[in-house]
Amino acid sequence: MGWHVAVLGTGRWSEVHLRALTASPYCDRVTLAGRNRAAAAARAAEFPIVQHCVDDFCSVYDDPSIELVQICLPHHLHTEVAYDALQAGKHVICEKPAAIDMASFDRVVAKAEEVGRRYLVVMCQLYNPLVLRARELVDEGALGRVFLYVETGFSQHADSYRNPDDWRTRVALAGGGVLIDGGYHMVYKQLFLLGGVARPRWIMADASQLNVDPRGKPIEAIGEDYIAYTIGFDEPLRVVSSHAWTLAADAHPARRGFIAGSDATLELPTNVTEPLILRAADGTERIEDVPGPRSGADATHACLLDYLETLATNRELQNASVAAARSALAVIFGVYKSSSLRQRITL
Ligand SMILES: NC(=O)c1ccc[n+]([C@@H]2O[C@H](COP(=O)([O-])OP(=O)(O)OC[C@H]3O[C@@H](n4cnc5c(N)ncnc54)[C@H](OP(=O)(O)O)[C@@H]3O)[C@@H](O)[C@H]2O)c1
């Protein structure tokens, strides 16, 4: 018999979680919890696996039949809700980012250890087969000595970032701007791709905002619209990256990454249909196309299916570990600190 799972939040991404729970052999019923009753009822009508809707989270914590809680809420609620769910004896799968400050993240990890429950954070791009293949190529030495990784990213959610009432634009609710939201995926992916060859050592960053006060100063309550950062790894390796939101409805074509090595450059795909390209110094091109989930929604689906199996069979996660989630947060908070102090930050 499968588990009784609770999904907390009825917004956009709850659809992806409910789709994965419907497909998983390890779940046979869902309680959907959200303060917006109409949104919960609409989701329940879409997904028959939802057997019960509640409008408060305490009913979830108090229900002993619920084994697992999946958090699809604004960022400022992630650690508070994860902590309470663990305290109530549930396993937790939390959407990214794990936390908006490191102390709260560590508190949740400690609670999970104390109560003997698992705490998993969504890192869906680690389920994109091209990312896994790119890591293999770097580790195998196909690029020679890797010295530079350049990547630009654009977040969707243009409507959210243009709406000052949306939680995504408020630092207190989102923990920052575009970096801690869509940029989060770039950060853990960059750490993963280079994780076999070097360690991150320092960060230099700069951010800017469209919303400024009458003196031209950024408004503190609103997160950044654009951020650029350099991560210094063991010499001579650097990651040079930027992230922004864009008005383009589908911003994926604007994403591009290159990992440069002494023998070859690896071109990371510009959109979800393109392959990896390894270009050698002599001009030869090697195309690496691996089938599997690539888009955020498809990769999250694969990630959640694996997390459910991980919990049900009590095994360790291969790549998306709690340590990887912590490292990504350390870089993100380091980027914010560096851009606000205008100083190099040692990791
Ligand atoms: N892995 C990925 O690729 C990916 C992609 C997209 C999103 N996400 C993550 O998924 C999470 C949810 O994002 P989303 O796009 O689904 O956001 P969303 O559409 O804004 O939905 C947020 C949900 O949280 C509820 N909520 C907001 N404030 C609340 C409060 N104070 N107390 C209780 N409930 C509250 C909202 O209820 P109301 O409707 O009443 O406001 C809504 O149900 C975020 O962490 C986001 O970063 C991940």
Side-chain angles (χ1 to χ4, degrees), residues 38 114 148 179 283 307:
E114 180 197 320
L148 182 65
L179 179 72
Y307 285 10

PDB file of all heavy atoms in Angstrom, residues 38 114 148 179 283 307:
ATOM      1  N   ALA A  38     -10.810  27.765  -2.786  1.00  0.00           N
ATOM      2  CA  ALA A  38     -11.259  27.609  -4.186  1.00  0.00           C
ATOM      3  C   ALA A  38     -10.129  26.981  -5.013  1.00  0.00           C
ATOM      4  O   ALA A  38     -10.374  26.097  -5.839  1.00  0.00           O
ATOM      5  CB  ALA A  38     -11.662  28.961  -4.759  1.00  0.00           C
ATOM      6  N   GLU A 114      17.362  14.511  14.546  1.00  0.00           N
ATOM      7  CA  GLU A 114      16.849  14.222  15.902  1.00  0.00           C
ATOM      8  C   GLU A 114      15.640  13.281  15.849  1.00  0.00           C
ATOM      9  O   GLU A 114      15.553  12.336  16.642  1.00  0.00           O
ATOM     10  CB  GLU A 114      16.463  15.552  16.567  1.00  0.00           C
ATOM     11  CG  GLU A 114      15.911  15.409  17.966  1.00  0.00           C
ATOM     12  CD  GLU A 114      15.186  16.677  18.398  1.00  0.00           C
ATOM     13  OE1 GLU A 114      15.668  17.797  18.097  1.00  0.00           O
ATOM     14  OE2 GLU A 114      14.111  16.539  19.019  1.00  0.00           O
ATOM     15  N   LEU A 148      37.272  27.654 -17.045  1.00  0.00           N
ATOM     16  CA  LEU A 148      36.236  28.688 -17.052  1.00  0.00           C
ATOM     17  C   LEU A 148      34.877  28.079 -17.372  1.00  0.00           C
ATOM     18  O   LEU A 148      34.758  27.251 -18.283  1.00  0.00           O
ATOM     19  CB  LEU A 148      36.573  29.745 -18.115  1.00  0.00           C
ATOM     20  CG  LEU A 148      35.619  30.933 -18.235  1.00  0.00           C
ATOM     21  CD1 LEU A 148      35.632  31.774 -16.963  1.00  0.00           C
ATOM     22  CD2 LEU A 148      35.984  31.799 -19.439  1.00  0.00           C
ATOM     23  N   LEU A 179      18.013  35.580  -8.180  1.00  0.00           N
ATOM     24  CA  LEU A 179      19.024  34.541  -7.921  1.00  0.00           C
ATOM     25  C   LEU A 179      18.471  33.401  -7.082  1.00  0.00           C
ATOM     26  O   LEU A 179      18.635  32.228  -7.420  1.00  0.00           O
ATOM     27  CB  LEU A 179      20.266  35.141  -7.236  1.00  0.00           C
ATOM     28  CG  LEU A 179      21.332  34.089  -6.917  1.00  0.00           C
ATOM     29  CD1 LEU A 179      22.021  33.607  -8.184  1.00  0.00           C
ATOM     30  CD2 LEU A 179      22.359  34.632  -5.936  1.00  0.00           C
ATOM     31  N   GLY A 283      38.880  21.791 -34.050  1.00  0.00           N
ATOM     32  CA  GLY A 283      37.658  22.129 -34.777  1.00  0.00           C
ATOM     33  C   GLY A 283      36.644  20.999 -34.839  1.00  0.00           C
ATOM     34  O   GLY A 283      35.528  21.207 -35.316  1.00  0.00           O
ATOM     35  N   TYR A 307      12.671  10.882  -5.402  1.00  0.00           N
ATOM     36  CA  TYR A 307      12.642  11.174  -3.962  1.00  0.00           C
ATOM     37  C   TYR A 307      11.630  10.256  -3.250  1.00  0.00           C
ATOM     38  O   TYR A 307      11.883   9.763  -2.141  1.00  0.00           O
ATOM     39  CB  TYR A 307      12.260  12.631  -3.707  1.00  0.00           C
ATOM     40  CG  TYR A 307      13.350  13.657  -3.983  1.00  0.00           C
ATOM     41  CD1 TYR A 307      14.541  13.319  -4.623  1.00  0.00           C
ATOM     42  CD2 TYR A 307      13.189  14.971  -3.585  1.00  0.00           C
ATOM     43  CE1 TYR A 307      15.520  14.252  -4.866  1.00  0.00           C
ATOM     44  CE2 TYR A 307      14.172  15.933  -3.821  1.00  0.00           C
ATOM     45  CZ  TYR A 307      15.334  15.573  -4.462  1.00  0.00           C
ATOM     46  OH  TYR A 307      16.304  16.516  -4.686  1.00  0.00           O
TER      47      TYR A 307
END
